[in-house]
Amino acid sequence: VGVLGIEDPLKSGVKESVAELRNLGFKHIVMLTGDSARTAARIASEAGIDEFQADLLPEDKFAYVDRVKSEGRCVAMVGDGVNDSPALGRADVGLAMGGGSDIAKEVADIILSDTDLQAVVRLRKMSQGLVSRLNGSYSKVMITNYHAANLVASAQCFDDFVQPQQHQGLFATKESLSNTMGALTDAHYFHGNSFFLIPDAVLILDY
């Protein structure tokens, strides 16, 4: 008589990655899985995940994402399988692992080159760094544009003392700065509304 024990172990680095993602601003991390509730509870506990949903079919994962979005929350879904595709497509941002199925990559907004959660950690850090630089550049352009506008206004008041070509140069500078500011405003708006920059977003992981 023999006993065969089978266990689905926690993947290496998952616990550390979840902790890093939490420190990077994700306050609610959820695991959706087709595994049994018993297995899901153990994995979630070991990984430090806030919530889990077990015994799910593809349509159940989609329904979960849809419900969370209907509550007004921003959602990202990380997955790699065919059964994750509907939820990936419904999330605000769908992230497909590099080793995932073709359909998951097709519907995802972002395809990660690696197959572990550290790829999500790196993407989060890069996003935060990008927005930090955008915010700095945006502020500098606003200040410069303000002073350029004052220069142009002064030039208009003292036309007799400004050569025509110099006057035109001031207007060209103002226009150039305005265009630059507009471009940075658009970039700031786009990145400011992406999932990775919104605090208290829900991060959903497939297991």
Side-chain angles (χ1 to χ4, degrees):
V1 177
V3 176
L4 178 62
I6 300 176
E7 182 180 68
D8 188 6
L10 184 68
K11 296 175 183 177
S12 176
V14 168
K15 181 177 181 179
E16 293 76 13
S17 296
V18 168
E20 283 191 79
L21 289 167
R22 194 181 308 283
N23 289 335
L24 289 169
F26 298 121
K27 302 304 182 185
H28 194 69
I29 302 176
V30 182
M31 180 179 73
L32 304 183
T33 180
D35 290 342
S36 68
R38 181 176 179 179
T39 299
R42 177 178 58 80
I43 293 295
S45 176
E46 292 178 6
I49 291 173
D50 303 303
E51 177 189 348
F52 71 88
Q53 299 289 326
D55 297 309
L56 300 183
L57 297 173
E59 54 267 33
D60 298 324
K61 295 181 180 182
F62 177 90
Y64 181 89
V65 173
D66 189 58
R67 178 175 62 79
V68 174
K69 281 175 61 69
S70 70
E71 296 171 355
R73 306 186 70 178
C74 189
V75 178
M77 172 78 185
V78 182
D80 58 5
V82 174
N83 60 344
D84 301 322
S85 301
L88 285 171
R90 184 69 184 99
D92 291 290
V93 174
L95 300 101
M97 291 296 189
S101 65
D102 290 339
I103 184 62
K105 294 177 182 179
E106 181 67 26
V107 301
D109 300 292
I110 299 171
I111 301 174
L112 302 170
S113 57
D114 294 327
T115 58
D116 57 48
L117 284 181
Q118 272 300 308
V120 183
V121 173
R122 289 191 291 272
L123 182 59
R124 172 68 171 183
K125 289 179 178 179
M126 285 191 293
S127 297
Q128 289 180 326
L130 175 61
V131 159
S132 178
R133 293 193 65 177
L134 280 172
N135 285 335
S137 298
Y138 181 77
S139 299
K140 290 175 183 177
V141 169
M142 287 289 290
I143 293 170
T144 305
N145 197 63
Y146 170 78
H147 289 299
N150 286 338
L151 283 173
V152 172
S154 298
Q156 289 172 328
C157 292
F158 298 99
D159 279 334
D160 292 339
F161 300 98
V162 179
Q163 296 297 321
Q165 60 270 27
Q166 293 174 320
H167 204 169
Q168 291 173 1
L170 286 171
F171 277 113
T173 300
K174 179 177 181 291
E175 182 178 1
S176 176
L177 287 168
S178 296
N179 291 338
T180 303
M181 183 182 70
L184 284 172
T185 301
D186 293 340
H188 182 270
Y189 178 82
F190 174 79
H191 291 290
N193 281 275
S194 76
F195 170 78
F196 288 98
L197 309 172
I198 298 177
D200 300 324
V202 178
L203 178 61
I204 298 177
L205 308 175
D206 168 68
Y207 196 86

